[in-house]
């Protein structure tokens, strides 16, 4: 392989490593948010946002090292499904928390 191809391959792998490291950082931030934030709604917000960003970056890193375009399309679909499921689940949990709070006030 020529020097340009090797430099491009190195840049691709470095970008993949950076995306994976960023994904790990966001997943750790989500874990810390679960432990450190004061109430259920704050924890829910912190986890939902950081988890979606973390999964997206980790999938981006995996796509950059995976051969072929098929995995990229599957990863994009998986990230969209995880984002939608996380948003829906957090909505239902928050709704339940708010209902429980309003019933306790009566």
């Amino acid at each position: 392989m020529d020097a340009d191809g090797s430099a491009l391959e190195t840049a691709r792998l470095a970008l993949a490593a950076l995306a994976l490291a960023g994904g790990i950082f966001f997943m750790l931030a989500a874990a810390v948010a679960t432990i450190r934030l004061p109430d259920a709604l704050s924890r829910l917000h912190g986890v939902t946002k950081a988890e979606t960003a973390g999964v997206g970056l980790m999938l981006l890193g995996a796509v950059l090292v995976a051969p072929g375009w098929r995995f990229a399309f599957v990863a994009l679909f998986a990230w969209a499904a995880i984002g939608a499921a996380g948003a829906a689940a957090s909505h239902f949990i928050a709704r339940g928390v708010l209902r429980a709070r309003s019933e306790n006030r009566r």
Side-chain angles (χ1 to χ4, degrees):
M1 197 183 302
D2 60 349
D4 292 334
S6 178
L8 187 61
E9 181 72 13
T10 302
R12 182 178 64 89
L13 292 176
L15 186 60
L18 189 63
L20 287 171
I24 291 170
F25 171 77
F26 276 105
M27 295 300 274
L28 286 174
V32 169
T34 302
I35 297 168
R36 298 289 309 248
L37 292 176
D39 64 341
L41 294 178
S42 297
R43 280 186 232 125
L44 192 60
H45 174 75
V47 168
T48 303
K49 305 307 175 208
E51 178 264 337
T52 303
V55 168
L57 285 172
M58 291 171 103
L59 284 172
L60 175 65
V63 164
L64 288 172
V65 296
W69 286 97
R70 184 170 184 224
F71 182 78
F73 290 123
V74 170
L76 180 64
F77 177 75
W79 183 59
I82 289 169
S90 65
H91 173 76
F92 293 132
I93 293 169
R95 193 172 178 186
V97 168
L98 292 175
R99 280 188 181 172
R101 284 184 185 175
S102 68
E103 288 176 2
N104 288 338
R105 289 183 185 169
R106 291 181 192 181

